[in-house]
Amino acid sequence: MGATVKTLSVDKDRLLQRLVSLGELGAIEGTTGCARLALTDEDKAGRDLVLTWMTDLGLKIEIDGIGNVVATMPHDSQSPPVMTGSHIDTVATGGQYDGTLGVLAGLEVIESVITAGVELRRPLAVGWFTDEEGARFAPDMLGSLVYVGGLAVEDALLIEDSNGITVGSELDRIGYSGPAPIPGRRPHAYVELHIEQGPILEDEGITIGVVEGVQGISWTEVKLTGQSCHAGTTPMRLRRDPGVVASLVNVFVRELATRFGNSQVATCGVVTHVPNLVNVIPSEVTMTVDLRNTDENLLRRAEAEFLEFLRSAAQAENVTVSSRQLARFEPVEFDHRVIEIVERQALLANLSSRRMPSGAGHDAQMFARICPTGMVFVPSVNGISHNVNEFTHPDDIEAGANVLLQTMLELAETDFS
Ligand code: GLV
Ligand code: MN
Ligand code: MN
């Protein structure tokens, strides 16, 4: 690679401006956050905007039957591309950076390379993958899971949201079902830039996280059914209260995480009571349990203990219980060669870095199944994410995008045997 390539850098202002413009779609009033749940009108607006930028740049656009969009730079060869990307859907209380940074920084990398007229051995591509968040349709990373052949598209299209609306009908409604092949083309390599979404980089004053892998994820939805009755007249000994069981489960998984130690986390993010009234014992509670661990054996033990406790707590309260798995992904280790390139590029740019696991799920963990894969993290202020106050400093965004750029350039020249 010549000197031009080594000194090439992204246009920070253009990247920041695009992040703001995309963040305005689905904006949550009075905040800097956004709500673009997968396949909603807001998600469609975000997709349309990013698609316009990609088309204006002359990229070849391919859309598949789960709504993934991949844009590849023009190139003489038929070589598989070095791919980057992420997602533009958000949770309902999302910020401006989760996912969008990876997509827009990828676009910025490609625009910088095209503008500078740099010749590469392999093309670069940037994609966004449907429903990474899983906040509307479970599991998370749905689009990238289908892309890599981990789930049949026919099955994915039948997945319903909490109102019984399917992925397939929403894709058709917003016009994002395309003919690109599934599973998708295997990239030469995949690398994704993302905000850390946790407090470690900021706490240690480090700019670049060199991601070694992603912890395992287990999501379970639980339905508890008891007997709704009057809160004043029903003696405690005669109650069948599913709310009490849900509370006990919540406390149990918190204690389990403490007992297992650092690598175990546990969250009950949804606890919905019916009828949800001050003076009525609930008849039904729906709750979710999110368990994660970098160690698959420990994660299995956590799941087994949680299910056993759930069964016995429900039995003790004479409440019926049913559960279904919403998502289950084993821990993933990224390719050591990609990890080393990211680390070296951070060093060459005089940026501080540290190796770390990812606590959040990412599309990269799906691509790790089919090609050499890695990730770059940049700090999240106060470690806040999945929250309207999510923020990453512009200088860190620029630093991360430049590490992504140089990593992609090096990957484009690297042969993997
Ligand atoms: C996705 O954002 C997840 O880790 O839940
Ligand atoms: Mn994300
Ligand atoms: Mn997220």
Side-chain angles (χ1 to χ4, degrees):
M1 284 189 276
T4 331
V5 168
K6 291 222 172 79
T7 53
L8 196 62
S9 59
V10 300
D11 182 331
K12 175 186 183 184
D13 292 338
R14 183 170 56 199
L15 174 54
L16 292 173
Q17 186 50 54
R18 282 181 176 159
L19 278 164
V20 170
S21 301
L22 182 51
E24 283 164 1
L25 302 175
I28 299 172
E29 219 185 312
T31 76
T32 53
C34 20
R36 283 193 308 274
L37 284 169
L39 309 183
T40 55
D41 291 346
E42 293 75 21
D43 185 25
K44 172 182 162 43
R47 287 166 171 263
D48 290 350
L49 180 64
V50 181
L51 197 58
T52 306
W53 289 329
M54 289 172 162
T55 310
D56 288 351
L57 192 56
L59 306 183
K60 179 180 164 211
I61 311 286
E62 291 168 285
I63 305 179
D64 68 18
I66 191 73
N68 297 322
V69 178
V70 175
T72 309
M73 66 191 276
H75 200 266
D76 291 340
S77 80
Q78 293 301 309
S79 306
V82 172
M83 195 187 284
T84 189
S86 198
H87 59 100
I88 60 176
D89 69 311
T90 72
V91 296
T93 54
Q96 284 192 13
Y97 305 88
D98 178 0
T100 56
L101 175 61
V103 177
L104 298 181
L107 179 63
E108 184 54 44
V109 164
I110 295 179
E111 185 148 3
S112 303
V113 168
I114 291 177
T115 307
V118 176
E119 307 251 325
L120 297 173
R121 256 180 81 198
R122 297 183 177 86
L124 307 183
V126 55
W128 78 76
F129 305 97
T130 297
D131 186 46
E132 188 274 350
E133 295 291 4
R136 182 174 181 201
F137 301 102
D140 48 350
M141 283 81 71
L142 180 65
S144 47
L145 179 66
V146 169
Y147 185 102
V148 303
L151 177 67
V153 65
E154 298 77 20
D155 294 336
L157 295 177
L158 294 176
I159 294 172
E160 296 179 353
D161 71 5
S162 56
N163 296 313
I165 301 172
T166 63
V167 168
S169 63
E170 285 295 80
L171 267 177
D172 289 341
R173 186 183 69 79
I174 68 166
Y176 270 89
S177 178
I182 288 176
R185 203 148 79 106
R186 181 182 178 278
H188 174 63
Y190 180 92
V191 61
E192 176 172 346
L193 172 64
H194 207 284
I195 54 168
E196 180 201 342
Q197 307 184 269
I200 295 167
L201 292 175
E202 181 184 69
D203 184 54
E204 297 182 3
I206 289 172
T207 307
I208 299 295
V210 180
V211 187
E212 293 181 290
V214 181
Q215 64 182 345
I217 301 175
S218 165
W219 286 359
T220 307
E221 182 186 73
V222 175
K223 275 199 197 311
L224 299 159
T225 308
Q227 179 59 57
S228 179
C229 211
H230 195 292
T233 61
T234 315
M236 300 310 287
R237 69 188 166 80
L238 295 179
R239 293 184 183 213
R240 299 175 56 219
D241 185 345
V244 169
V245 179
S247 302
L248 290 170
V249 168
N250 201 339
V251 172
F252 178 81
V253 296
R254 161 59 77 98
E255 285 174 354
L256 175 148
T258 308
R259 183 159 42 86
F260 276 39
N262 267 345
S263 59
Q264 181 66 51
V265 288
T267 308
C268 296
V270 172
V271 184
T272 312
H273 292 67
V274 176
N276 209 30
L277 295 168
V278 63
N279 54 357
V280 183
I281 299 165
S283 57
E284 190 173 291
V285 171
T286 303
M287 73 186 301
T288 56
V289 179
D290 175 323
L291 299 171
R292 305 192 194 201
N293 202 313
T294 49
D295 181 317
E296 174 65 14
N297 288 329
L298 287 175
L299 186 55
R300 284 192 195 164
R301 262 182 47 203
E303 287 172 309
E305 284 200 24
F306 143 61
L307 288 172
E308 173 54 26
F309 181 85
L310 171 66
R311 199 193 54 72
S312 64
Q315 197 175 40
E317 186 70 15
N318 197 13
V319 157
T320 59
V321 56
S322 66
S323 65
R324 71 184 176 113
Q325 197 162 70
L326 296 178
R328 182 61 165 91
F329 299 115
E330 291 189 5
V332 168
E333 282 179 25
F334 289 145
D335 190 291
H336 71 93
R337 296 162 297 186
V338 182
I339 292 172
E340 281 156 19
I341 292 174
V342 172
E343 197 162 50
R344 180 167 56 253
Q345 290 302 340
L347 189 67
L348 286 170
N350 284 321
L351 296 165
S352 53
S353 74
R354 63 129 50 215
R355 293 190 178 201
M356 61 194 303
S358 170
H362 297 292
D363 296 305
Q365 81 193 79
M366 297 304 153
F367 278 90
R369 297 184 185 191
I370 61 166
C371 66
T373 294
M375 287 189 79
V376 183
F377 274 177
V378 284
S380 293
V381 171
N382 295 325
I384 298 273
S385 186
H386 283 185
N387 180 308
V388 294
N389 294 321
E390 182 178 276
F391 183 67
T392 292
H393 287 293
D395 287 350
D396 291 337
I397 287 177
E398 182 184 28
N402 279 324
V403 170
L404 177 71
L405 166 66
Q406 293 300 334
T407 299
M408 291 183 76
L409 294 178
E410 186 169 343
L411 286 169
E413 307 301 318
T414 303
D415 291 318
F416 295 109
S417 47

